[in-house]
Each structure stands twice: as C-alpha cells, then as structure tokens.
Amino acid sequence: MDWPHILVVIALPLAAIFLLSRIVRLVARRIAERRNADKQHRLTREILETAMNQRSPLNLEFTGAELQGRKLQGPCIKLGEHSLFVDVGGAYASPVWAREPVQVFFKTTAKRKASYYQFSSYVIDAQIRRNTFVLQLPVLATLEPGQKRSFVRVEPQKGAVLGLGLWPMSDRLPLPTSIHTMKQATFNFRPGKSEDVRVVNLSAGGMRLSMDKELKPFDTLDLSNGSQVLCLLVLRSNEGEMPLPFWLACTIVSFSENQEKNSPLFLGLRFTNWALMENGRTDIVWFPIHKDRGVAPLASWVMRHHLEQSKHL
C-alpha cells in the first residue's frame, strides 16, 4: 500500500471521529440550552405566581404609536400555560388593542424585601368579564430586573446613613449660599442617638422618610404637597473613607399618617437642587437636577448598595 492510500486510511477515521465529536458537542449544547430555557421558564412562572398570590398590581404602559403613553394597572387573576390575565377594573380596554406592545412592571415581596421586575409583551385579547375589563398577555420565558421609577431605590442598611438634618424652606427665598446664614436644623438624626427620623428608601431623585409623631413636625414644617424643605444627608462612603455629605433642596410629594398611636409619619421628598458639603468650605454651590439623571454622585452610591444587597437576596 502506497503512502496516499495509507493517508486516506488514517484520515477517514480521524475525520469521522472529529465529525462525531462535533455532533456530540452540538447535541450536548442544545440539551443544555433547553434545560436552561426550561429552568428560566419555571423561575418566571414562580415569580408571576408569587405576584398573583400577593395581589401585586401589574403596571402596564403601552409603547406603540396608537396607544403611546396610555397606562393601566391591575392584578394578575389567572396564570395559564402560555398566557396571563390582568384585571384592569373599570378602565376601558378594547379587543382592537390586540398585538399592541406594552411594557409591564411589577414587584414581589419576600422577608420584607421588595424585588422589582419588568418585561416587554403585547396584548393578545381584551375582554369584558363581570363588568370589568381583562387583558390577556403571553407568558414570556424571561423577566428583567427593574422598576417603573426613573431611579433605582435602596433601603439604606444599618450604618449607611451617618446623619440627617431638615430645615423649613420657602420657594419665595433663594437657596442659602453659606452655612453661616443657616439656623439650627429643625430635626437631626444621628445613628445610635436618635431613631425618631429614618430613611426608608433612597434614590438619585428622592427619598422617603419615617418620622415619630412625638416630634410634632407640623409645628415647624409645612408638610403639604408642593412645600419645600432643605436637607443635609450624610452617607457612609462606598470606600469606607470620608463621609459623603449632600445638601438637598426638596419638594414634598407625599405625606401619610396612620391614625394608630405608635405608627410613624411617612414623608416623600423629590430632590430639585443639590450640592456637596466640601471639607473646610463654608460656601454652598448648588446644581440643578435633571429629571432623568438625578444627583450623579448619589446615583453611584445607590447603585453600589443596590448591587451589594442583590447578592444577599
């Protein structure tokens, strides 16, 4: 047998082995992808079932040209094999909305921690059932973490907030440009010394506070929606080095009071201007806040803490 025939005899088995190994790898990859897809589908259904059992509202925002900006809200009342049904109550819905794209936002709660999700979908059908409108949407394989609000929110962990001060402010007066012109804060919070005021959640665009009723904030602050307050918020640095002190001009956007004796007051604030308190300086240089960006250094701080908290959920 000459060399060409010897090479053919050797090459053919090698080629067959190589082809077989490629087929085996391809089949193994397809099986792995299928298992992963099935796992993701089960996880998605578990999250949606949790939202349905908790009666968590699904916020629907239409994104197509015909219904751009229309918003509906309601709980998932049924979860089928391939679709879910959202009860939007008395809000008008029409069967002609079929195939209209929609962005869906919702949350679930476990161990007092909220997890936020969103997914892109479309309307399969809109029906009237017992004097209420029900939208049918397809069940998608995957969900994305995210929330409807413009900015990610976190619940600051113990020790993350080093101090908080509040001052009354008037929209008829300019923002203070020096700490020398400022009076003593109406309320002060310092960890370990006072629990009367607490930061419930924080984002680059605003925060929510809880306040002890015994403080009687009505006596010194106008808590009506649209009123102004000035805040000094001091946070522990991500690097654990120098604290991060923020001056924040705020507008009150929500105020709630439970009539129970020992329940706190809740105050929602939206930031309108901000400044950093620089070490050794007494002047305050203010920056306006863009509605889509918020306070940039604060956004970085919040995102870092959001990612750290997500690892422990």
Side-chain angles (χ1 to χ4, degrees):
M1 184 179 294
D2 55 14
W3 277 107
H5 289 91
I6 294 175
L7 292 176
V8 170
V9 170
I10 296 174
L12 286 176
L14 291 177
I17 294 172
F18 175 77
L19 181 59
L20 181 60
S21 66
R22 289 290 302 271
I23 293 174
V24 170
R25 286 199 299 268
L26 180 60
V27 171
R29 187 175 67 183
R30 292 287 175 83
I31 293 174
E33 290 175 350
R34 183 60 186 175
R35 287 177 177 173
N36 184 60
D38 291 343
K39 181 180 178 181
Q40 187 64 51
H41 183 70
R42 288 194 300 270
L43 178 60
T44 296
R45 289 191 62 85
E46 289 175 4
I47 294 172
L48 289 171
E49 286 176 355
T50 300
M52 181 175 64
N53 294 334
Q54 295 178 352
R55 298 286 293 178
S56 178
L58 274 64
N59 295 281
L60 285 67
E61 294 188 0
F62 287 86
T63 57
E66 292 294 326
L67 300 174
Q68 179 75 40
R70 183 182 288 268
K71 300 178 182 180
L72 297 175
Q73 183 187 78
C76 174
I77 58 173
K78 179 182 178 182
L79 183 61
E81 182 63 28
H82 301 292
S83 60
L84 59 88
F85 299 82
V86 183
D87 183 350
V88 295
Y92 175 75
S94 171
V96 300
W97 290 1
R99 307 302 301 180
E100 283 291 336
V102 63
Q103 193 74 13
V104 183
F105 304 85
F106 69 97
K107 75 173 183 178
T108 60
T109 304
K111 297 181 180 179
R112 301 182 66 183
K113 291 285 187 180
S115 298
Y116 296 85
Y117 303 94
Q118 62 176 306
F119 61 92
S120 299
S121 188
Y122 61 90
V123 176
I124 296 176
D125 192 15
Q127 305 171 357
I128 299 179
R129 298 184 181 180
R130 298 178 183 177
N131 298 321
T132 187
F133 284 97
V134 176
L135 295 182
Q136 182 182 2
L137 309 177
V139 174
L140 302 183
T142 59
L143 301 174
E144 297 177 4
Q147 49 191 328
K148 184 179 177 181
R149 295 171 180 262
S150 300
F151 306 104
V152 171
R153 292 173 296 164
V154 295
E155 178 184 346
Q157 295 179 334
K158 185 176 182 180
V161 178
L162 301 180
L164 175 71
L166 291 175
W167 290 260
M169 191 175 74
S170 172
D171 55 2
R172 296 188 297 270
L173 298 176
L175 293 170
T177 57
S178 172
I179 61 175
H180 292 312
T181 63
M182 300 181 62
K183 299 179 181 180
Q184 184 175 353
T186 302
F187 298 109
N188 278 304
F189 161 77
R190 293 182 181 178
K193 296 184 178 181
S194 171
E195 294 296 334
D196 295 335
V197 181
R198 185 173 67 89
V199 179
V200 178
N201 59 56
L202 176 66
S203 76
M207 62 180 170
R208 190 170 190 239
L209 307 177
S210 70
M211 306 177 69
D212 194 320
K213 285 183 179 179
E214 297 301 319
L215 291 175
K216 297 182 178 180
F218 315 95
D219 295 344
T220 50
L221 289 177
D222 181 0
L223 300 180
S224 58
N225 286 358
S227 300
Q228 312 290 311
V229 293
L230 185 65
C231 173
L232 176 61
L233 178 66
V234 184
L235 301 174
R236 188 179 300 279
S237 171
N238 288 331
E239 292 77 21
E241 299 173 354
M242 294 294 293
L244 293 173
F246 293 95
W247 288 109
L248 299 163
C250 309
T251 297
I252 296 176
V253 294
S254 66
F255 172 72
S256 60
E257 177 184 8
N258 194 309
Q259 297 303 318
E260 296 180 9
K261 184 177 180 180
N262 296 322
S263 62
L265 310 173
F266 291 97
L267 193 64
L269 303 175
R270 184 182 72 246
F271 305 146
T272 57
N273 293 271
W274 71 280
L276 274 176
M277 177 186 279
E278 299 185 46
N279 189 30
R281 297 189 60 172
T282 59
D283 61 324
I284 306 175
V285 181
W286 292 97
F287 299 94
I289 293 179
H290 191 281
K291 65 177 182 178
D292 295 327
R293 299 190 184 96
V295 181
L298 185 53
S300 299
W301 188 94
V302 168
M303 183 55 67
R304 173 71 176 272
H305 282 256
H306 172 70
L307 295 175
E308 289 178 353
Q309 292 177 14
S310 298
K311 294 177 182 177
H312 298 93
L313 290 180

